Amino acid sequence: MAFRPSLPPFILESAALRSQGAWTLMAQALLTGLVSGGVIGLFRWLYTIINTAIRAHVAGQDPLAPAALALLAAGLLLMALTAGLLLRHEPLIGGSGIPQVELIAAGKLPPMRWARVLWCKFVATLAALSAGLSVGREGPCIMMGATVGAGVGYMWHDRCRANRPRYLVGGGVAGMTAAFGAPVAGMFFAFEEMRTPLTLPMLLFTSLSALSAWFMVDVVLGFGLVFPFARLPGLHWSQYWLPLPVGMACGLLGAVYNAGMIRLLRWQDRARWLPGPVRIVFPFACCGVLLFLWPEIMGNVGLTALQLEHLRLPVLMLALLLAGKIAFSCVSFASGVSGGILMPILLAGSMAGALLAAPLRDAGLVAPEQTATLLVLGMAGLFSASVRTPLTGAALVMEMCGGFHLAPAVLLAAFAAAFTANALHSAPVYDSLKERILEQRRRRRAAAPPTEERP
């Protein structure tokens, strides 16, 4: 058999981009962003309708009534079956979707079947979120955007190269922009987390994808800020020591969060006695129990960062909420269903910010109206500590809350958190997840029966 040299996909893509016309690149990028924004805008609209209906039903019904219990059990069972069957139909949709997209773009996983992955990811994530699992929509939106990008490449008669990095990265940027309303963070994510080579054609492609997706979700569909805090005052010059301890505390928390999640996933990989259906059904059953005992840590009816701005809870209660949120987020994600970790990380970061704000308010070091500012610093810090992308985390949080005037403080907290997590030798969460996916793939290939060689 002749030897075929294999070059990394990004190197091949750089050569292809140099020979590609600028107008073609711009048209592909605009189409990728607009379609991704439309698909993810539909997803966000459906989830808003479903979540509003669930909250209204929970608030207006006697939860212990037999009819309400039967409806709750039937709904959770239906959502668990939907998520489980779709995961069995298309295993690539499991988890966040960001590690899978990065591995495909790097040529370490085979190309995905974009149409099947798109609709399976859409429905399965909607089922997991509607049930109340503590998972996020943002990682799945990035994967859905990448599938749209692959579809654009396929329909552009680039069928043999539909999974080119340009389509996957550009679609992922559009997906993150549409999910968060954050085009700048989407750009940083492409080059900071996905490690895309910074070339002029790729910069043009990703920026146009981000801007067109932002235009679709914010201008056309009218989605506003994700975290529209009532008051978001800046820090006085004498308070600029605060971002450093907040970032360091979030760096420690991020290291614990990553270690707990990865160890739980590794334990489940070794637990051969634990069947897959049980892993999927367990968090859905937990949602039914938590709805009566501890709904604050759930995904759909739980506490939000906007509510934490006004709540004045004791430090012990905030610590319990933070521990419960992290624990349930790890259990939800470890089930393998379609769902991300970014929004749970941001909510846990806001709880960490509220936990740090309580004693600072009592000591007179921060004003009560600066609580939301500490929530923002906590979100940026925990995101940066877990994902290890401080620029992306800082830009993301500022765009989600409109707090660009907090840029110096947010950047200080983000870099302090990333530095602390690195000092603790904590691996970035997506690097650990990519390593686990590749290990699982190697084990499956080793366990597969050998194929007969042709004479």
Side-chain angles (χ1 to χ4, degrees), residues 187-246:
M187 292 288 296
F188 278 131
F189 188 83
F191 299 102
E192 191 178 28
E193 165 60 29
M194 300 186 75
R195 299 175 178 88
T196 304
L198 185 56
T199 62
L200 185 59
M202 188 61 78
L203 185 62
L204 175 66
F205 196 94
T206 53
S207 60
L208 287 178
S209 297
L211 288 175
S212 56
W214 172 84
F215 177 81
M216 177 60 73
V217 296
D218 271 32
V219 179
V220 178
L221 300 179
F223 287 100
L225 296 175
V226 178
F227 295 129
F229 290 108
R231 302 182 68 181
L232 200 60
L235 296 178
H236 188 261
W237 66 266
S238 62
Q239 296 175 312
Y240 263 88
W241 61 272
L242 285 172
L244 293 179
V246 171

Tab-separated table of all heavy atoms in Angstrom, residues 187-246:
chain	number	residue	atom	x	y	z
A	187	MET	N	-15.334	35.249	19.080
A	187	MET	CA	-14.059	35.379	18.376
A	187	MET	C	-12.895	34.921	19.257
A	187	MET	O	-12.010	34.182	18.811
A	187	MET	CB	-13.857	36.832	17.963
A	187	MET	CG	-14.822	37.320	16.905
A	187	MET	SD	-14.466	36.598	15.290
A	187	MET	CE	-12.859	37.286	14.979
A	188	PHE	N	-12.888	35.359	20.514
A	188	PHE	CA	-11.824	34.929	21.421
A	188	PHE	C	-11.848	33.417	21.608
A	188	PHE	O	-10.791	32.776	21.694
A	188	PHE	CB	-11.962	35.626	22.777
A	188	PHE	CG	-11.394	37.009	22.820
A	188	PHE	CD1	-12.128	38.057	23.341
A	188	PHE	CD2	-10.119	37.273	22.337
A	188	PHE	CE1	-11.610	39.341	23.389
A	188	PHE	CE2	-9.594	38.547	22.374
A	188	PHE	CZ	-10.338	39.584	22.906
A	189	PHE	N	-13.040	32.838	21.669
A	189	PHE	CA	-13.167	31.393	21.875
A	189	PHE	C	-12.535	30.626	20.724
A	189	PHE	O	-11.883	29.596	20.928
A	189	PHE	CB	-14.637	31.012	22.012
A	189	PHE	CG	-14.872	29.583	22.416
A	189	PHE	CD1	-14.811	29.215	23.744
A	189	PHE	CD2	-15.146	28.611	21.468
A	189	PHE	CE1	-15.021	27.896	24.119
A	189	PHE	CE2	-15.360	27.299	21.841
A	189	PHE	CZ	-15.296	26.938	23.171
A	190	ALA	N	-12.706	31.131	19.509
A	190	ALA	CA	-12.155	30.437	18.339
A	190	ALA	C	-10.641	30.364	18.396
A	190	ALA	O	-10.041	29.340	18.043
A	190	ALA	CB	-12.606	31.130	17.059
A	191	PHE	N	-10.003	31.429	18.843
A	191	PHE	CA	-8.544	31.482	18.783
A	191	PHE	C	-7.877	31.157	20.121
A	191	PHE	O	-6.721	30.769	20.150
A	191	PHE	CB	-8.089	32.865	18.302
A	191	PHE	CG	-8.587	33.201	16.929
A	191	PHE	CD1	-9.653	34.055	16.742
A	191	PHE	CD2	-7.998	32.625	15.818
A	191	PHE	CE1	-10.119	34.356	15.467
A	191	PHE	CE2	-8.453	32.908	14.535
A	191	PHE	CZ	-9.520	33.770	14.362
A	192	GLU	N	-8.632	31.309	21.240
A	192	GLU	CA	-8.049	31.015	22.547
A	192	GLU	C	-8.310	29.584	22.978
A	192	GLU	O	-7.422	28.900	23.472
A	192	GLU	CB	-8.603	31.994	23.585
A	192	GLU	CG	-7.883	31.952	24.930
A	192	GLU	CD	-8.436	32.962	25.905
A	192	GLU	OE1	-9.637	33.319	25.794
A	192	GLU	OE2	-7.690	33.390	26.803
A	193	GLU	N	-9.531	29.104	22.805
A	193	GLU	CA	-9.869	27.743	23.224
A	193	GLU	C	-9.666	26.737	22.089
A	193	GLU	O	-9.036	25.698	22.275
A	193	GLU	CB	-11.320	27.687	23.704
A	193	GLU	CG	-11.908	26.291	23.836
A	193	GLU	CD	-11.143	25.415	24.819
A	193	GLU	OE1	-10.547	25.947	25.778
A	193	GLU	OE2	-11.138	24.184	24.622
A	194	MET	N	-10.166	27.043	20.897
A	194	MET	CA	-10.053	26.104	19.788
A	194	MET	C	-8.680	26.143	19.117
A	194	MET	O	-8.394	25.315	18.255
A	194	MET	CB	-11.153	26.382	18.750
A	194	MET	CG	-12.559	26.254	19.299
A	194	MET	SD	-13.857	26.417	18.048
A	194	MET	CE	-13.730	24.829	17.232
A	195	ARG	N	-7.844	27.121	19.508
A	195	ARG	CA	-6.461	27.231	19.040
A	195	ARG	C	-6.387	27.281	17.506
A	195	ARG	O	-5.550	26.616	16.879
A	195	ARG	CB	-5.605	26.093	19.591
A	195	ARG	CG	-5.534	26.081	21.123
A	195	ARG	CD	-4.773	24.876	21.633
A	195	ARG	NE	-4.662	24.894	23.081
A	195	ARG	CZ	-5.566	24.370	23.906
A	195	ARG	NH1	-6.652	23.809	23.398
A	195	ARG	NH2	-5.394	24.419	25.206
A	196	THR	N	-7.297	28.044	16.929
A	196	THR	CA	-7.305	28.227	15.485
A	196	THR	C	-6.138	29.133	15.077
A	196	THR	O	-5.930	30.183	15.704
A	196	THR	CB	-8.629	28.867	15.049
A	196	THR	OG1	-9.713	28.059	15.513
A	196	THR	CG2	-8.704	28.981	13.543
A	197	PRO	N	-5.362	28.761	14.065
A	197	PRO	CA	-4.288	29.651	13.597
A	197	PRO	C	-4.848	31.008	13.177
A	197	PRO	O	-5.836	31.093	12.447
A	197	PRO	CB	-3.698	28.892	12.405
A	197	PRO	CG	-4.031	27.460	12.657
A	197	PRO	CD	-5.359	27.466	13.346
A	198	LEU	N	-4.226	32.062	13.661
A	198	LEU	CA	-4.702	33.418	13.404
A	198	LEU	C	-4.175	33.889	12.047
A	198	LEU	O	-3.070	34.413	11.933
A	198	LEU	CB	-4.246	34.354	14.519
A	198	LEU	CG	-4.766	35.796	14.460
A	198	LEU	CD1	-6.286	35.809	14.431
A	198	LEU	CD2	-4.238	36.593	15.643
A	199	THR	N	-4.977	33.673	11.018
A	199	THR	CA	-4.653	34.139	9.679
A	199	THR	C	-5.728	35.123	9.231
A	199	THR	O	-6.851	35.119	9.755
A	199	THR	CB	-4.565	32.980	8.681
A	199	THR	OG1	-5.860	32.330	8.619
A	199	THR	CG2	-3.522	31.949	9.125
A	200	LEU	N	-5.403	35.943	8.274
A	200	LEU	CA	-6.352	36.944	7.811
A	200	LEU	C	-7.625	36.317	7.234
A	200	LEU	O	-8.728	36.770	7.558
A	200	LEU	CB	-5.679	37.862	6.790
A	200	LEU	CG	-6.532	39.042	6.298
A	200	LEU	CD1	-6.933	39.926	7.470
A	200	LEU	CD2	-5.769	39.859	5.245
A	201	PRO	N	-7.553	35.278	6.375
A	201	PRO	CA	-8.797	34.673	5.880
A	201	PRO	C	-9.659	34.067	6.996
A	201	PRO	O	-10.881	34.225	6.986
A	201	PRO	CB	-8.305	33.597	4.904
A	201	PRO	CG	-6.949	34.035	4.488
A	201	PRO	CD	-6.368	34.703	5.701
A	202	MET	N	-9.017	33.393	7.968
A	202	MET	CA	-9.796	32.808	9.056
A	202	MET	C	-10.386	33.901	9.944
A	202	MET	O	-11.510	33.776	10.448
A	202	MET	CB	-8.930	31.857	9.875
A	202	MET	CG	-9.701	31.060	10.915
A	202	MET	SD	-10.987	29.984	10.207
A	202	MET	CE	-9.991	28.616	9.613
A	203	LEU	N	-9.650	34.973	10.148
A	203	LEU	CA	-10.173	36.095	10.924
A	203	LEU	C	-11.374	36.714	10.227
A	203	LEU	O	-12.381	37.063	10.872
A	203	LEU	CB	-9.070	37.133	11.125
A	203	LEU	CG	-9.399	38.329	12.023
A	203	LEU	CD1	-9.702	37.877	13.436
A	203	LEU	CD2	-8.250	39.327	12.015
A	204	LEU	N	-11.295	36.846	8.906
A	204	LEU	CA	-12.425	37.372	8.140
A	204	LEU	C	-13.625	36.452	8.243
A	204	LEU	O	-14.761	36.911	8.464
A	204	LEU	CB	-12.004	37.548	6.673
A	204	LEU	CG	-13.104	37.978	5.693
A	204	LEU	CD1	-13.598	39.374	6.011
A	204	LEU	CD2	-12.597	37.894	4.253
A	205	PHE	N	-13.395	35.157	8.112
A	205	PHE	CA	-14.502	34.195	8.133
A	205	PHE	C	-15.188	34.189	9.501
A	205	PHE	O	-16.417	34.250	9.594
A	205	PHE	CB	-13.963	32.796	7.806
A	205	PHE	CG	-15.026	31.804	7.428
A	205	PHE	CD1	-15.343	31.584	6.103
A	205	PHE	CD2	-15.712	31.092	8.396
A	205	PHE	CE1	-16.324	30.673	5.744
A	205	PHE	CE2	-16.691	30.185	8.058
A	205	PHE	CZ	-17.005	29.969	6.721
A	206	THR	N	-14.415	34.110	10.567
A	206	THR	CA	-15.009	34.023	11.906
A	206	THR	C	-15.686	35.330	12.308
A	206	THR	O	-16.754	35.310	12.940
A	206	THR	CB	-13.939	33.647	12.943
A	206	THR	OG1	-12.832	34.549	12.836
A	206	THR	CG2	-13.456	32.226	12.724
A	207	SER	N	-15.096	36.465	11.955
A	207	SER	CA	-15.706	37.738	12.349
A	207	SER	C	-17.032	37.961	11.642
A	207	SER	O	-18.012	38.403	12.259
A	207	SER	CB	-14.746	38.899	12.059
A	207	SER	OG	-14.429	38.962	10.673
A	208	LEU	N	-17.107	37.620	10.365
A	208	LEU	CA	-18.381	37.769	9.652
A	208	LEU	C	-19.420	36.768	10.146
A	208	LEU	O	-20.613	37.088	10.228
A	208	LEU	CB	-18.163	37.604	8.154
A	208	LEU	CG	-17.457	38.763	7.446
A	208	LEU	CD1	-17.267	38.455	5.967
A	208	LEU	CD2	-18.241	40.059	7.620
A	209	SER	N	-18.988	35.562	10.491
A	209	SER	CA	-19.926	34.594	11.064
A	209	SER	C	-20.490	35.103	12.383
A	209	SER	O	-21.694	34.998	12.651
A	209	SER	CB	-19.221	33.254	11.281
A	209	SER	OG	-18.785	32.691	10.063
A	210	ALA	N	-19.616	35.662	13.242
A	210	ALA	CA	-20.062	36.178	14.537
A	210	ALA	C	-21.006	37.361	14.368
A	210	ALA	O	-22.070	37.431	15.004
A	210	ALA	CB	-18.854	36.568	15.383
A	211	LEU	N	-20.653	38.296	13.497
A	211	LEU	CA	-21.476	39.491	13.332
A	211	LEU	C	-22.836	39.162	12.734
A	211	LEU	O	-23.856	39.728	13.141
A	211	LEU	CB	-20.743	40.506	12.450
A	211	LEU	CG	-19.538	41.203	13.104
A	211	LEU	CD1	-18.822	42.088	12.095
A	211	LEU	CD2	-19.979	42.020	14.311
A	212	SER	N	-22.875	38.257	11.770
A	212	SER	CA	-24.162	37.908	11.168
A	212	SER	C	-25.037	37.121	12.141
A	212	SER	O	-26.267	37.303	12.167
A	212	SER	CB	-23.948	37.121	9.874
A	212	SER	OG	-23.150	35.966	10.097
A	213	ALA	N	-24.443	36.268	12.979
A	213	ALA	CA	-25.221	35.565	13.987
A	213	ALA	C	-25.754	36.539	15.025
A	213	ALA	O	-26.912	36.428	15.467
A	213	ALA	CB	-24.360	34.494	14.653
A	214	TRP	N	-24.910	37.504	15.438
A	214	TRP	CA	-25.373	38.528	16.376
A	214	TRP	C	-26.509	39.343	15.774
A	214	TRP	O	-27.498	39.665	16.450
A	214	TRP	CB	-24.210	39.448	16.747
A	214	TRP	CG	-24.648	40.636	17.552
A	214	TRP	CD1	-24.842	40.699	18.895
A	214	TRP	CD2	-24.964	41.934	17.030
A	214	TRP	NE1	-25.262	41.957	19.256
A	214	TRP	CE2	-25.343	42.740	18.132
A	214	TRP	CE3	-24.953	42.487	15.759
A	214	TRP	CZ2	-25.713	44.070	17.985
A	214	TRP	CZ3	-25.327	43.819	15.603
A	214	TRP	CH2	-25.695	44.597	16.706
A	215	PHE	N	-26.405	39.694	14.500
A	215	PHE	CA	-27.467	40.450	13.839
A	215	PHE	C	-28.779	39.674	13.862
A	215	PHE	O	-29.850	40.253	14.108
A	215	PHE	CB	-27.042	40.750	12.401
A	215	PHE	CG	-28.091	41.458	11.591
A	215	PHE	CD1	-28.258	42.829	11.696
A	215	PHE	CD2	-28.912	40.750	10.727
A	215	PHE	CE1	-29.235	43.488	10.949
A	215	PHE	CE2	-29.889	41.401	9.979
A	215	PHE	CZ	-30.040	42.771	10.094
A	216	MET	N	-28.696	38.365	13.644
A	216	MET	CA	-29.916	37.562	13.607
A	216	MET	C	-30.585	37.491	14.982
A	216	MET	O	-31.799	37.697	15.120
A	216	MET	CB	-29.587	36.162	13.094
A	216	MET	CG	-30.770	35.204	13.087
A	216	MET	SD	-32.162	35.747	12.059
A	216	MET	CE	-31.477	35.474	10.418
A	217	VAL	N	-29.811	37.195	16.034
A	217	VAL	CA	-30.438	36.978	17.343
A	217	VAL	C	-30.779	38.285	18.062
A	217	VAL	O	-31.782	38.348	18.784
A	217	VAL	CB	-29.543	36.100	18.252
A	217	VAL	CG1	-29.387	34.709	17.679
A	217	VAL	CG2	-28.190	36.742	18.491
A	218	ASP	N	-29.975	39.324	17.875
A	218	ASP	CA	-30.228	40.561	18.611
A	218	ASP	C	-31.081	41.560	17.830
A	218	ASP	O	-31.973	42.180	18.412
A	218	ASP	CB	-28.893	41.231	18.988
A	218	ASP	CG	-28.376	40.744	20.316
A	218	ASP	OD1	-28.634	39.568	20.637
A	218	ASP	OD2	-27.708	41.517	21.026
A	219	VAL	N	-30.827	41.703	16.552
A	219	VAL	CA	-31.544	42.709	15.775
A	219	VAL	C	-32.836	42.140	15.198
A	219	VAL	O	-33.910	42.727	15.348
A	219	VAL	CB	-30.638	43.264	14.652
A	219	VAL	CG1	-31.389	44.292	13.812
A	219	VAL	CG2	-29.380	43.883	15.256
A	220	VAL	N	-32.730	40.993	14.539
A	220	VAL	CA	-33.913	40.417	13.888
A	220	VAL	C	-34.853	39.772	14.909
A	220	VAL	O	-36.058	40.055	14.935
A	220	VAL	CB	-33.480	39.393	12.815
A	220	VAL	CG1	-34.706	38.747	12.177
A	220	VAL	CG2	-32.633	40.086	11.744
A	221	LEU	N	-34.305	38.906	15.768
A	221	LEU	CA	-35.149	38.166	16.713
A	221	LEU	C	-35.355	38.897	18.031
A	221	LEU	O	-36.239	38.518	18.804
A	221	LEU	CB	-34.537	36.781	16.970
A	221	LEU	CG	-34.401	35.898	15.720
A	221	LEU	CD1	-33.767	34.554	16.088
A	221	LEU	CD2	-35.756	35.677	15.075
A	222	GLY	N	-34.554	39.889	18.324
A	222	GLY	CA	-34.809	40.740	19.472
A	222	GLY	C	-34.425	40.181	20.823
A	222	GLY	O	-34.969	40.621	21.846
A	223	PHE	N	-33.490	39.238	20.896
A	223	PHE	CA	-33.009	38.768	22.187
A	223	PHE	C	-32.088	39.832	22.795
A	223	PHE	O	-31.176	40.336	22.124
A	223	PHE	CB	-32.243	37.449	22.040
A	223	PHE	CG	-33.126	36.268	21.749
A	223	PHE	CD1	-33.246	35.793	20.456
A	223	PHE	CD2	-33.828	35.644	22.756
A	223	PHE	CE1	-34.059	34.709	20.174
A	223	PHE	CE2	-34.644	34.558	22.484
A	223	PHE	CZ	-34.763	34.092	21.194
A	224	GLY	N	-32.320	40.132	24.048
A	224	GLY	CA	-31.514	41.153	24.706
A	224	GLY	C	-30.381	40.539	25.499
A	224	GLY	O	-29.899	39.442	25.208
A	225	LEU	N	-29.947	41.261	26.540
A	225	LEU	CA	-28.878	40.776	27.405
A	225	LEU	C	-29.316	39.523	28.151
A	225	LEU	O	-30.472	39.406	28.575
A	225	LEU	CB	-28.489	41.859	28.412
A	225	LEU	CG	-27.887	43.163	27.861
A	225	LEU	CD1	-27.675	44.170	28.989
A	225	LEU	CD2	-26.589	42.892	27.130
A	226	VAL	N	-28.400	38.596	28.321
A	226	VAL	CA	-28.706	37.382	29.081
A	226	VAL	C	-28.818	37.697	30.564
A	226	VAL	O	-29.672	37.157	31.270
A	226	VAL	CB	-27.618	36.310	28.832
A	226	VAL	CG1	-27.900	35.053	29.655
A	226	VAL	CG2	-27.552	35.965	27.357
A	227	PHE	N	-27.972	38.602	31.061
A	227	PHE	CA	-27.987	39.001	32.472
A	227	PHE	C	-28.193	40.516	32.567
A	227	PHE	O	-27.242	41.273	32.799
A	227	PHE	CB	-26.681	38.619	33.165
A	227	PHE	CG	-26.428	37.145	33.259
A	227	PHE	CD1	-25.216	36.607	32.846
A	227	PHE	CD2	-27.395	36.283	33.744
A	227	PHE	CE1	-24.977	35.253	32.931
A	227	PHE	CE2	-27.170	34.927	33.818
A	227	PHE	CZ	-25.960	34.399	33.410
A	228	PRO	N	-29.430	40.993	32.415
A	228	PRO	CA	-29.679	42.439	32.521
A	228	PRO	C	-29.834	42.865	33.989
A	228	PRO	O	-30.936	43.052	34.491
A	228	PRO	CB	-30.988	42.615	31.743
A	228	PRO	CG	-31.703	41.307	31.900
A	228	PRO	CD	-30.638	40.249	32.000
A	229	PHE	N	-28.705	43.003	34.684
A	229	PHE	CA	-28.752	43.391	36.083
A	229	PHE	C	-29.367	44.784	36.228
A	229	PHE	O	-29.168	45.667	35.384
A	229	PHE	CB	-27.345	43.392	36.693
A	229	PHE	CG	-26.757	42.022	36.859
A	229	PHE	CD1	-25.719	41.592	36.040
A	229	PHE	CD2	-27.247	41.152	37.820
A	229	PHE	CE1	-25.167	40.338	36.192
A	229	PHE	CE2	-26.706	39.884	37.978
A	229	PHE	CZ	-25.674	39.477	37.161
A	230	ALA	N	-30.097	44.963	37.335
A	230	ALA	CA	-30.735	46.256	37.575
A	230	ALA	C	-29.705	47.351	37.791
A	230	ALA	O	-29.846	48.470	37.287
A	230	ALA	CB	-31.673	46.152	38.784
A	231	ARG	N	-28.664	47.051	38.571
A	231	ARG	CA	-27.612	48.024	38.843
A	231	ARG	C	-26.269	47.315	38.746
A	231	ARG	O	-26.101	46.223	39.283
A	231	ARG	CB	-27.784	48.650	40.231
A	231	ARG	CG	-29.121	49.337	40.446
A	231	ARG	CD	-29.205	49.982	41.815
A	231	ARG	NE	-28.280	51.122	41.929
A	231	ARG	CZ	-28.153	51.846	43.027
A	231	ARG	NH1	-28.874	51.560	44.108
A	231	ARG	NH2	-27.296	52.865	43.061
A	232	LEU	N	-25.327	47.954	38.074
A	232	LEU	CA	-24.010	47.357	37.897
A	232	LEU	C	-22.947	48.450	38.048
A	232	LEU	O	-22.265	48.822	37.090
A	232	LEU	CB	-23.920	46.694	36.525
A	232	LEU	CG	-22.818	45.627	36.328
A	232	LEU	CD1	-23.008	44.483	37.298
A	232	LEU	CD2	-22.832	45.109	34.905
A	233	PRO	N	-22.793	48.956	39.274
A	233	PRO	CA	-21.812	50.039	39.471
A	233	PRO	C	-20.381	49.531	39.394
A	233	PRO	O	-20.096	48.352	39.666
A	233	PRO	CB	-22.137	50.549	40.880
A	233	PRO	CG	-22.753	49.373	41.571
A	233	PRO	CD	-23.494	48.615	40.511
A	234	GLY	N	-19.485	50.406	39.023
A	234	GLY	CA	-18.080	50.046	38.961
A	234	GLY	C	-17.420	50.091	40.327
A	234	GLY	O	-18.046	50.433	41.347
A	235	LEU	N	-16.151	49.735	40.365
A	235	LEU	CA	-15.388	49.762	41.601
A	235	LEU	C	-14.694	51.116	41.755
A	235	LEU	O	-14.221	51.707	40.783
A	235	LEU	CB	-14.336	48.649	41.609
A	235	LEU	CG	-14.833	47.206	41.579
A	235	LEU	CD1	-13.652	46.254	41.544
A	235	LEU	CD2	-15.730	46.900	42.765
A	236	HIS	N	-14.648	51.579	43.000
A	236	HIS	CA	-13.852	52.763	43.310
A	236	HIS	C	-12.378	52.387	43.242
A	236	HIS	O	-12.007	51.217	43.388
A	236	HIS	CB	-14.220	53.284	44.703
A	236	HIS	CG	-13.602	54.591	45.046
A	236	HIS	ND1	-12.462	54.699	45.818
A	236	HIS	CD2	-13.950	55.858	44.704
A	236	HIS	CE1	-12.144	55.971	45.952
A	236	HIS	NE2	-13.041	56.702	45.294
A	237	TRP	N	-11.508	53.385	43.014
A	237	TRP	CA	-10.087	53.067	42.872
A	237	TRP	C	-9.536	52.379	44.115
A	237	TRP	O	-8.612	51.571	44.019
A	237	TRP	CB	-9.294	54.340	42.565
A	237	TRP	CG	-9.280	55.354	43.683
A	237	TRP	CD1	-10.124	56.399	43.847
A	237	TRP	CD2	-8.367	55.393	44.786
A	237	TRP	NE1	-9.832	57.100	44.979
A	237	TRP	CE2	-8.733	56.507	45.576
A	237	TRP	CE3	-7.286	54.615	45.179
A	237	TRP	CZ2	-8.055	56.854	46.742
A	237	TRP	CZ3	-6.611	54.971	46.342
A	237	TRP	CH2	-6.996	56.061	47.110
A	238	SER	N	-10.111	52.670	45.264
A	238	SER	CA	-9.642	52.041	46.502
A	238	SER	C	-10.111	50.596	46.645
A	238	SER	O	-9.689	49.903	47.575
A	238	SER	CB	-10.117	52.851	47.710
A	238	SER	OG	-11.533	52.889	47.770
A	239	GLN	N	-10.991	50.147	45.751
A	239	GLN	CA	-11.511	48.776	45.813
A	239	GLN	C	-10.870	47.850	44.779
A	239	GLN	O	-11.302	46.702	44.655
A	239	GLN	CB	-13.037	48.784	45.603
A	239	GLN	CG	-13.827	49.506	46.680
A	239	GLN	CD	-15.302	49.578	46.326
A	239	GLN	OE1	-15.680	49.941	45.208
A	239	GLN	NE2	-16.156	49.228	47.281
A	240	TYR	N	-9.860	48.324	44.066
A	240	TYR	CA	-9.305	47.503	42.995
A	240	TYR	C	-8.409	46.372	43.481
A	240	TYR	O	-7.827	45.648	42.675
A	240	TYR	CB	-8.574	48.374	41.967
A	240	TYR	CG	-9.466	48.679	40.788
A	240	TYR	CD1	-10.304	49.778	40.807
A	240	TYR	CD2	-9.507	47.836	39.686
A	240	TYR	CE1	-11.145	50.059	39.741
A	240	TYR	CE2	-10.344	48.099	38.621
A	240	TYR	CZ	-11.163	49.215	38.651
A	240	TYR	OH	-12.004	49.469	37.591
A	241	TRP	N	-8.320	46.219	44.790
A	241	TRP	CA	-7.686	45.015	45.317
A	241	TRP	C	-8.651	43.841	45.333
A	241	TRP	O	-8.230	42.680	45.438
A	241	TRP	CB	-7.195	45.283	46.749
A	241	TRP	CG	-8.298	45.653	47.703
A	241	TRP	CD1	-8.779	46.893	47.947
A	241	TRP	CD2	-9.051	44.759	48.516
A	241	TRP	NE1	-9.804	46.854	48.862
A	241	TRP	CE2	-9.984	45.544	49.228
A	241	TRP	CE3	-9.060	43.381	48.717
A	241	TRP	CZ2	-10.905	44.998	50.128
A	241	TRP	CZ3	-9.969	42.841	49.605
A	241	TRP	CH2	-10.871	43.639	50.304
A	242	LEU	N	-9.969	44.113	45.220
A	242	LEU	CA	-10.980	43.051	45.333
A	242	LEU	C	-10.896	41.996	44.229
A	242	LEU	O	-11.079	40.798	44.513
A	242	LEU	CB	-12.385	43.667	45.338
A	242	LEU	CG	-12.826	44.358	46.633
A	242	LEU	CD1	-14.146	45.087	46.423
A	242	LEU	CD2	-12.961	43.322	47.745
A	243	PRO	N	-10.669	42.351	42.941
A	243	PRO	CA	-10.660	41.309	41.905
A	243	PRO	C	-9.615	40.217	42.139
A	243	PRO	O	-9.850	39.060	41.739
A	243	PRO	CB	-10.364	42.088	40.625
A	243	PRO	CG	-10.867	43.457	40.886
A	243	PRO	CD	-10.596	43.702	42.334
A	244	LEU	N	-8.504	40.540	42.782
A	244	LEU	CA	-7.472	39.524	42.979
A	244	LEU	C	-7.917	38.419	43.939
A	244	LEU	O	-7.842	37.236	43.586
A	244	LEU	CB	-6.177	40.181	43.460
A	244	LEU	CG	-5.498	41.094	42.427
A	244	LEU	CD1	-4.235	41.711	43.027
A	244	LEU	CD2	-5.156	40.309	41.178
A	245	PRO	N	-8.406	38.714	45.152
A	245	PRO	CA	-8.887	37.616	46.002
A	245	PRO	C	-10.106	36.900	45.437
A	245	PRO	O	-10.249	35.688	45.614
A	245	PRO	CB	-9.200	38.299	47.339
A	245	PRO	CG	-9.316	39.740	47.038
A	245	PRO	CD	-8.409	40.004	45.880
A	246	VAL	N	-10.980	37.645	44.744
A	246	VAL	CA	-12.127	36.982	44.106
A	246	VAL	C	-11.644	36.003	43.045
A	246	VAL	O	-12.109	34.850	42.965
A	246	VAL	CB	-13.086	38.030	43.503
A	246	VAL	CG1	-14.156	37.343	42.651
A	246	VAL	CG2	-13.754	38.843	44.596
